[in-house]
Amino acid sequence: VAYLLIPYVTPPLTPSRLALFAFVGAMVGSVAAWRAFYALVLVQPGLSRKALIVGAGWAGRTMVEAIRSVPGEYDLVGFIDDDPRKHIDVIDGLPVLGMRDELCELATQTGATEIIVAITQPDQMHPEMFQAILDCHEKGILISQMPLLFEQLTGRVPVEHAGRNLHIVLPLNGSPSRLQRAAKRFVDLLIGVVGVALTAVLLPLVWLAMRLEGGGPVFFRQTRVGQGGRPFALLKFRTMIPSAEAHGPQWAEENDSRATRVGRVLRRVHIDEIPQAVNILRDELSFIGPRPERPEFIAQLERRVPFFRARHAVRPGITGWAQVNYPYADSVEDALIKLQYDLYYIKHQSFWFDLVIFLRTIRLVLTLHGR
């Protein structure tokens, strides 16, 4: 619609070459000037939010790491912690300034306008610390909780700091409406039909390439766990040697030595994923959602990663928020990070969020960021 309206809402282009070059120069110059102004002025420490972090433990250190991943947003002045053993230390480059009874006074002295509460179990917070935080709130100091601020800065849910607080991982507005689910399923069906047609077109070429390399099956089926914990057979073009898992299930790795030459090409351009359109038509997959995991790895991960099974609350997908932010996962530690992204998607899922993921997926495909 916007494209069709362009001739009616924009002035006609001038035939003057000088005017056209002047227009391009003005556009480039104004964008460059704005970015220079932003870089030189708006990210100066004086314009950052000064913040104190309550809690110098692992939650506080995680918060410092997240804040430093977004330069210019915050100016951290130090920690507040009731453990006197930490007061002689500098933790992650920040001093431990005092204890709970000094919180408001230190906030005033340091000019802090925000207090970030990074206590792993807020329900076990000392009553005097709770009251000190309320006193600061009454004085107009912004109080931020670590899990919510971590989400805003990183696009991830800090499940290892959630404890038994279900509100940290549950969707903000409940489950999507029937209309939203129906619209998403309609789009999935369109993508599935197109994907099956592409699979049929590519099948002879892929078969010929594999035949020239040494033969073997064209398709690869692998059991994955879907919505509600139900297993299904995921379908892909084969990219590894037939005996890739002769010694049992293994994590896929970047530049995996088990991949064939044809398989590396298919992975690089993401062609190996196209047959999953069959799973979409079977209602086992959506185009966008958490990537389905293998049952062998789920048994291992759910013992070590909190809330891991919460991923099964929605239909899994071919691409997702985790895939466009953190494409490789070949260990339990990587699986934890991807789970944080997946739970963020489940918590904030919407049509616009899916659109963002779709556009970022296209960018990854066009830039050949396959493994």
Side-chain angles (χ1 to χ4, degrees), residues 198-237:
L198 284 174
T199 301
V201 171
L202 293 169
L203 180 57
L205 300 176
V206 175
W207 176 85
L208 179 60
M210 290 185 179
R211 189 74 176 175
L212 292 174
E213 188 174 6
V218 176
F219 291 109
F220 171 73
R221 291 175 176 84
Q222 189 177 70
T223 301
R224 299 290 179 99
V225 176
Q227 188 174 18
R230 293 184 292 272
F232 68 97
L234 187 77
L235 185 68
K236 299 175 69 173
F237 282 129

Side-chain angles (χ1 to χ4, degrees), residues 268-290:
R268 181 63 61 184
V269 294
H270 296 276
I271 289 177
D272 63 314
E273 309 280 359
I274 294 177
Q276 292 171 83
V278 173
N279 296 113
I280 291 180
L281 294 181
R282 289 176 177 170
D283 203 18
E284 297 165 335
L285 277 183
S286 178
F287 183 68
I288 295 175

